[in-house]
Amino acid sequence: ISILSCLYWENILVPMQVNPLVLYGFMLLFLINPTKTFYYKSRFWLLKLLFRVCTAPFHRVEFADFWLADQLNSLVIVLMDLEFLVCYYSFELNWNKSNGLLPDNTGHAVCHSYSYGVRAIIQCLPAWFRFVQCLRRYRDTKRAFPHLVNAGKYSTTFFVVTFSALYSTHKAQNHSDTQVFFYLLIVFSVISSCYTLIWDLKMDWGLFDKNAGENTFLREEIVYPQKVRGILGAKRT
């Protein structure tokens, strides 16, 4: 309905920019609705869990806590879109125009840049939540592996975002040290990608297990026998 309202705003006499605002406002009110209707238990379980994620260093981390924090890391693009929405409606939207188009002076746009800092913070938040959760789990268990190693994985995000922000802002201002931040961004992006890939293959997927025996490069326990894997591989090729 929101998309159709945007497309046919001239026919319904509702400004284009009102429709996304109404949609997100409705979703927010639906989430925080205090009445015991519309999945009340599920909604407030989610809100409670979000609060626990945001306050991770101050209490013991349970499975649901780091599960939701992992989901937020996968949804970082969505969070940045929400940040852009708030920024756009606050600073760039011209309410006098019914078509809701961006201003003509897009060269001075704020919301697509790192110049005001919030964008970089939002981009780091999901990784920060998992980072402090790992530190808390290390404090509770005294096990450096895997908790400190996992914290190191999430810490690489901070360097990537920092150098990305510095590169973008210095490039926009034509600073002489722009190339330095560009090379640092490339280096830490490669480090972060390799770190994450190795962790996913080894820890999350359980591959390359030294105790796998005859299941070379696989897990110690596998679901399908070798014959079935061969048939599936042949069909794929």
Side-chain angles (χ1 to χ4, degrees):
I1 295 176
S2 180
I3 295 176
L4 292 175
S5 299
C6 284
L7 293 175
Y8 299 102
W9 65 272
E10 292 179 333
N11 298 327
I12 62 176
L13 303 179
V14 176
M16 181 187 294
Q17 59 268 25
V18 171
N19 295 284
L21 195 61
V22 171
L23 175 63
Y24 281 98
F26 172 79
M27 298 300 293
L28 177 62
L29 292 176
F30 175 81
L31 180 62
I32 63 175
N33 171 25
T35 63
K36 295 186 177 181
T37 56
F38 302 111
Y39 306 100
Y40 171 81
K41 290 184 178 181
S42 299
R43 289 187 291 105
F44 277 82
W45 174 84
L46 177 60
L47 290 174
K48 178 182 176 181
L49 209 56
L50 284 171
F51 177 78
R52 288 181 59 85
V53 168
C54 295
T55 58
F58 306 109
H59 54 78
R60 187 176 182 85
V61 179
E62 304 294 341
F63 172 79
D65 301 332
F66 67 77
W67 173 84
L68 182 58
D70 273 337
Q71 305 309 310
L72 292 177
N73 275 272
S74 301
L75 297 173
V76 65
I77 300 299
V78 177
L79 296 177
M80 293 182 69
D81 286 345
L82 290 175
E83 176 272 332
F84 173 81
L85 179 78
V86 174
C87 177
Y88 172 72
Y89 275 90
S90 301
F91 300 110
E92 294 188 7
L93 178 63
N94 187 351
W95 287 96
N96 295 322
K97 293 184 178 181
S98 301
N99 57 6
L101 297 177
L102 287 171
D104 296 331
N105 57 339
T106 52
H108 303 285
V110 174
C111 298
H112 276 299
S113 70
Y114 288 97
S115 58
Y116 71 119
V118 177
R119 190 169 181 83
I121 294 174
I122 296 297
Q123 199 170 354
C124 283
L125 271 182
W128 167 258
F129 293 148
R130 284 297 289 126
F131 176 75
V132 294
Q133 282 182 342
C134 292
L135 294 183
R136 175 65 195 214
R137 296 193 76 187
Y138 168 70
R139 176 183 179 276
D140 293 338
T141 64
K142 305 303 181 185
R143 294 171 56 191
F145 184 85
H147 302 309
L148 288 185
V149 180
N150 201 14
K153 180 188 71 172
Y154 289 105
S155 69
T156 59
T157 301
F158 308 147
F159 295 98
V160 174
V161 174
T162 299
F163 290 124
S164 177
L166 289 173
Y167 169 68
S168 298
T169 53
H170 283 234
K171 182 180 180 182
Q173 299 171 6
N174 295 319
H175 286 187
S176 59
D177 56 357
T178 301
Q179 288 299 107
V180 175
F181 293 118
F182 174 74
Y183 293 132
L184 288 172
L185 172 61
I186 296 299
V187 169
F188 279 95
S189 294
V190 171
I191 293 174
S192 179
S193 298
C194 293
Y195 202 150
T196 304
L197 176 63
I198 293 172
W199 182 272
D200 288 344
L201 292 176
K202 177 65 178 170
M203 301 301 297
D204 293 346
W205 297 355
L207 302 180
F208 304 102
D209 188 349
K210 63 181 180 180
N211 298 318
E214 62 180 8
N215 303 320
T216 308
F217 303 126
L218 300 177
R219 304 175 180 179
E220 182 179 1
E221 297 181 4
I222 56 177
V223 177
Y224 301 105
Q226 185 174 0
K227 184 182 295 185
V228 175
R229 298 201 308 272
I231 295 174
L232 293 176
K235 286 185 176 181
R236 180 173 296 181
T237 56

